[in-house]
């Protein structure tokens, strides 16, 4: 009995349940360890987050420029009244006009002469550098200004319809054809935008510096859109920045005339361009947006205190500008703190937090106040509910036709168009920002009219559209 108790406990376990022998277990454990080590070695390394601050490229290392120079400009009221606009040529960048809200990026250059060999002497004239028109161009890098001025010289020497007239003409074509806009006189802007009058939508593409002529470009295209009754206005911008004293009046022209601003995936909006971006009613951003410090042109400062005093006034103007456009004063702080040889890139969350993407909160509030006065609180509540439903139910669809069909169906659900304010419904807002076409607006009205007719034929009182 005692000998039985001294036996191993495993002796009482049936054979089929006995643990494997040590000679079998150890090799298995070794193989498992080797497999685990191999898996660990093959696991992909975590992708590092993109840096928020990068080194600025050579064309951007001057940052946003600030100077006391305040060039004379025609006021918006003067542009709306008369046709005798001061002569002006766009030198700081390239601009095109079309009526295609969803159009692809436009060509990168404005062709002044054919691609074939230029006439004798014309190549030398085009290659000769011309002095920039303002100090901002000199500080930022004169590449764009010189190229534009050289093209201007070549155009003036090229044959035209009349002596001394440039060879650049606006060719006849479809409304969606890109029309270069170089001269900013009344007739030039009118000719470029006329094809967009019937469609009620215009797209302006700009690539270049923010300077005085860009401000004039925005003021004049906005004034012409007002004259022609073009409500839907899209600005596609690609800019490394420029002079802040020109960016703010350009933004004021944008803020008063309902523009959607786009930064495409192949575009950037840096330094002073961010001030322009802040002014849009709606901001659609796929490219990179970045900020860095202002550079004071013509400064007489010899100490930090003196430079700070010079910048204090413009810093206050920038903060006021940002606040009235619904953007955060933190943007102005970044324009004072990030070294101008670096670039602080803003991610999607920061763009929202700083009020630089999506719908402009100030304009949205203002529109609701004006709309409630005109159409009533119930109208505004139904409009807001429509827009929320559109964002959650319609916009996720990739196909534009599906988006618009969804919007049309929402019209009947929320009672639009409304008979009392037919032109102020949510479809008009979506149309202005380019998210639905004019045909979708017409379809909504037709659907509402058909529903009302059917209800009346049935002898029931129908609700207003």
């Amino acid at each position: 009995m005692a000998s039985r108790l001294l036996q191993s406990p495993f002796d009482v376990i049936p054979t089929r349940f006995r643990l494997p022998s040590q000679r079998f277990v150890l090799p298995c454990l070794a193989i498992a360890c080797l497999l685990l080590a191999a898996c660990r070695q093959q696991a992909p390394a975590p992708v590092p987050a993109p840096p928020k601050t990068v080194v600025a490229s050579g064309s951007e290392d001057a940052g946003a420029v600030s100077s006391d120079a305040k060039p004379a400009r025609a006021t918006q009221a003067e542009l709306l009244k008369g046709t005798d606009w001061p002569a002006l040529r766009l030198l700081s960048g390239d601009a095109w006009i079309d009526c295609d809200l969803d159009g692809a990026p436009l060509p990168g250059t404005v062709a002044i002469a054919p691609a074939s060999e230029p006439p004798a002497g014309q190549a030398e004239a085009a290659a000769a550098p011309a002095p920039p028109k303002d100090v901002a161009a000199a500080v930022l890098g004169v590449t764009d200004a010189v190229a534009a001025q050289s093209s201007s010289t070549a155009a003036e020497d090229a044959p035209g319809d009349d002596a001394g007239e440039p060879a650049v003409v606006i060719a006849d074509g479809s409304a969606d054809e890109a029309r270069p806009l170089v001269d900013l006189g009344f007739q030039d802007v009118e000719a470029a935008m006329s094809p967009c009058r019937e469609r009620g939508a215009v797209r302006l593409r700009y690539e270049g510096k923010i300077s005085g002529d860009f401000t004039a470009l925005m003021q004049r295209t906005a004034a012409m859109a007002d004259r022609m009754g073009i409500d839907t206005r899209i600005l596609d911008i690609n800019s490394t920045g420029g002079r802040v004293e020109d960016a703010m009046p350009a933004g004021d022209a944008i803020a008063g005339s309902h523009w959607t601003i786009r930064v495409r995936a192949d575009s950037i909006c840096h330094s002073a361009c961010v001030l322009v971006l802040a002014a849009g009613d709606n901001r659609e951003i796929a490219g990179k947006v970045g900020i860095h410090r202002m550079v004071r042109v013509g400064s007489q400062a010899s100490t930090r205190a003196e430079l700070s005093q010079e910048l204090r006034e413009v810093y206050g103007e920038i903060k006021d500008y940002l606040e009235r456009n619904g953007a955060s004063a933190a943007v102005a702080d970044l324009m004072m703190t990030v070294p101008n040889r670096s670039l602080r890139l803003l991610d999607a969350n920061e763009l929202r937090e700083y009020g630089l993407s999506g719908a402009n909160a100030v304009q949205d509030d203002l529109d609701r106040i004006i709309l409630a006065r005109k159409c009533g609180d119930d109208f505004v509540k139904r409009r807001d509910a429509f827009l929320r439903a559109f964002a959650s139910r319609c916009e996720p669809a990739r196909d534009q036709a599906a988006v618009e069909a969804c919007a049309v169906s929402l019209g009947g659900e929320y009672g639009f168009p409304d008979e009392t304010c037919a032109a102020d419904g949510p479809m008009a807002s979506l149309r202005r920002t380019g998210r639905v076409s004019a045909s979708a607006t017409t379809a909504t009205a037709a659907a509402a009219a058909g529903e009302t007719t059917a209800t009346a034929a049935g002898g029931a009182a129908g609700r207003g559209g």
Side-chain angles (χ1 to χ4, degrees):
M1 185 68 172
S3 63
R4 182 67 177 172
L5 292 175
L6 292 174
Q7 289 180 356
S8 170
F10 292 104
D11 291 343
V12 299
I13 300 176
T15 304
R16 64 178 179 274
F17 292 110
R18 288 184 182 178
L19 296 176
S21 66
Q22 186 175 6
R23 288 185 301 175
F24 178 75
V25 171
L26 291 178
C28 290
L29 289 174
I31 294 173
C33 291
L34 291 173
L35 291 174
L36 181 60
C39 291
R40 286 179 178 175
Q41 291 177 355
Q42 294 175 2
V47 179
K52 289 193 172 183
T53 303
V54 298
V55 177
S57 68
S59 61
E60 301 153 6
D61 58 1
V65 171
S66 172
S67 70
D68 289 329
K70 297 187 183 295
R73 297 189 186 96
T75 66
Q76 204 72 4
E78 292 170 339
L79 294 173
L80 287 171
K81 284 191 303 185
T83 61
D84 187 19
W85 292 358
L88 183 64
R89 194 172 179 87
L90 187 63
L91 300 179
S92 298
D94 297 320
W96 303 265
I97 292 285
D98 64 40
C99 319
D100 183 13
L101 302 184
D102 298 315
L106 298 170
T109 56
V110 178
I112 299 295
S116 57
E117 287 293 325
Q122 185 172 321
E124 291 78 3
K133 291 293 184 181
D134 55 37
V135 69
V139 174
L140 284 169
V142 298
T143 305
D144 289 348
V146 168
Q149 183 66 30
S150 300
S151 297
S152 172
T153 304
E156 290 170 357
D157 293 340
D161 294 335
D162 300 310
E165 289 295 319
V168 177
V169 295
I170 298 173
D172 295 332
S174 68
D176 295 339
E177 182 179 350
R179 295 173 290 283
L181 187 56
V182 181
D183 289 300
L184 303 181
F186 179 88
Q187 293 181 344
D188 302 285
V189 178
E190 181 184 39
M193 294 179 63
S194 287
C196 303
R197 186 198 303 263
E198 182 177 354
R199 186 174 294 188
V202 64
R203 184 174 75 118
L204 169 64
R205 174 73 182 268
Y206 180 76
E207 297 182 357
K209 296 291 195 295
I210 306 300
S211 193
D213 48 358
F214 170 75
T215 302
L217 171 70
M218 294 312 307
Q219 290 175 330
R220 296 183 184 201
T221 51
M224 189 61 70
D226 286 343
R227 285 171 175 255
M228 294 183 174
I230 300 175
D231 294 329
T232 303
R233 307 165 188 189
I234 308 291
L235 169 64
D236 275 349
I237 192 166
N238 182 18
S239 176
T240 59
R243 190 170 175 268
V244 296
E245 287 85 359
D246 292 317
M248 289 186 285
D252 288 335
I254 290 170
S257 55
H258 304 295
W259 286 82
T260 291
I261 302 179
R262 290 177 177 169
V263 182
R264 291 182 172 272
D266 61 343
S267 301
I268 60 174
C269 183
H270 291 169
S271 60
C273 176
V274 176
L275 299 178
V276 177
L277 183 66
D281 277 19
N282 192 53
R283 286 72 54 95
E284 301 174 359
I285 301 172
K288 288 183 169 54
V289 176
I291 306 176
H292 47 185
R293 181 177 169 84
M294 291 183 291
V295 170
R296 184 68 175 169
V297 177
S299 173
Q300 301 300 313
S302 57
T303 67
R304 293 182 185 179
E306 291 173 353
L307 180 58
S308 177
Q309 181 63 35
E310 286 186 5
L311 289 174
R312 186 169 299 162
E313 182 179 351
V314 67
Y315 175 72
E317 292 177 0
I318 292 173
K319 286 185 67 176
D320 290 342
Y321 169 86
L322 291 168
E323 288 172 358
R324 71 174 177 262
N325 284 295
S328 172
V331 175
D333 294 334
L334 289 174
M335 296 185 78
M336 295 292 289
T337 56
V338 177
N340 67 298
R341 290 183 178 83
S342 300
L343 188 70
R344 175 69 159 77
L345 298 177
L346 304 181
D347 60 32
N349 290 331
E350 290 171 323
L351 289 168
R352 283 193 298 271
E353 291 173 4
Y354 294 158
L356 295 174
S357 65
N360 188 305
V362 172
Q363 188 62 44
D364 192 48
D365 285 346
L366 181 60
D367 288 343
R368 294 178 80 259
I369 292 169
I370 295 172
L371 199 58
R373 265 198 318 261
K374 179 181 179 182
C375 304
D377 290 335
D378 176 69
F379 182 96
V380 173
K381 290 177 181 177
R382 286 188 289 116
R383 171 183 171 273
D384 289 347
F386 178 106
L387 293 174
R388 285 193 295 269
F390 178 84
S392 62
R393 291 158 54 180
C394 302
E395 283 193 315
R398 294 185 178 181
D399 181 62
Q400 184 64 20
V403 171
E404 296 187 351
C406 177
V408 171
S409 69
L410 289 179
E413 185 175 339
Y414 290 95
F416 291 108
D418 190 297
E419 291 178 354
T420 58
C421 289
D424 299 293
M427 292 296 286
S429 174
L430 296 174
R431 168 65 178 149
R432 278 197 303 270
T433 57
R435 287 182 284 177
V436 300
S437 65
S439 59
T441 308
T442 305
T444 305
E451 181 180 347
T452 303
T453 302
T455 304
R463 181 184 180 185

